[in-house]
Structures are given as structure tokens and as C-alpha cells.
Amino acid sequence: MKIIVKNNQGIWDIAIQYYGAAEGVRQLIMDNPDKVNFNNNIAPGTEIIIDATKVITKSVIDYYTTNKRVPASAYYDASLGYGIGDFNNDFNNDFNN
């Protein structure tokens, strides 16, 4: 299935929402190597593939679906291409705010 990344969603948020566990990050990267990486940097509106056959914890997915919740704990700044705390290679910006 394909999804559209929402505002302030990072790879960890998407893994929790659609795979039910942070371990889903690996699957996201494997299925979307040109769009997803460990930098947690995905622009809102990006279309990515979710492999629904690789669910890890269905009860977590059910919680988000039933309660109409969307985890969005990342911060994306379009002018920078990343946000504070995204743990990319620019460590000066990761902890200075």
C-alpha cells in the first residue's frame, strides 16, 4: 500500500503507525531506499510504500486506526531539509535549541 507522509512525521512515527513497532523502520528503508533513511527526514507529502504483510504488533496499529491518531513527533524544516533532533550528521543543530 502507498501512504502520504503527514506534517512532522518521521520514519519512527510511520514505523509505529503502520508496523506497530520501531523495528518497522528497517522495512521502510528497504521498501523506499530512494526516499527513506535513518536521518528521520521525510518531507510532508512524500509518497512511500508500506508492506502490510510485515506488521509487527497489530494492536498498536489498531489503536491508531480506532482512535484516529497519527504519531507526528518529528520536526521538518523545508529550508534546512531536516529538523532539530533528527540525528543526522550535523550534530551542531541536533541539541542547540
Side-chain angles (χ1 to χ4, degrees):
M1 104 174 113
K2 292 182 181 180
I3 63 131
I4 303 296
V5 176
K6 296 187 178 24
N7 195 34
N8 294 330
Q9 277 193 312
I11 58 173
W12 307 100
D13 299 316
I14 295 166
I16 296 289
Q17 183 176 3
Y18 291 99
Y19 293 105
E23 292 84 358
V25 165
R26 181 175 180 270
Q27 191 67 45
L28 283 171
I29 293 170
M30 288 179 8
D31 291 339
N32 302 278
D34 58 329
K35 297 178 184 177
V36 179
N37 58 51
F38 278 111
N39 287 344
N40 199 32
N41 175 17
I42 309 173
T46 301
E47 184 177 87
I48 61 173
I49 296 168
I50 301 293
D51 186 344
T53 68
K54 305 288 185 179
V55 168
I56 299 166
T57 309
K58 188 174 181 324
S59 61
V60 173
I61 297 166
D62 291 344
Y63 167 81
Y64 284 109
T65 302
T66 302
N67 293 292
K68 297 180 182 169
R69 303 273 185 205
V70 176
S73 63
Y75 172 76
Y76 183 80
D77 184 327
S79 67
L80 299 174
Y82 60 87
I84 304 303
D86 70 354
F87 301 105
N88 60 10
N89 292 325
D90 184 5
F91 296 109
N92 292 326
N93 286 316
D94 286 337
F95 299 102
N96 292 334
N97 280 338

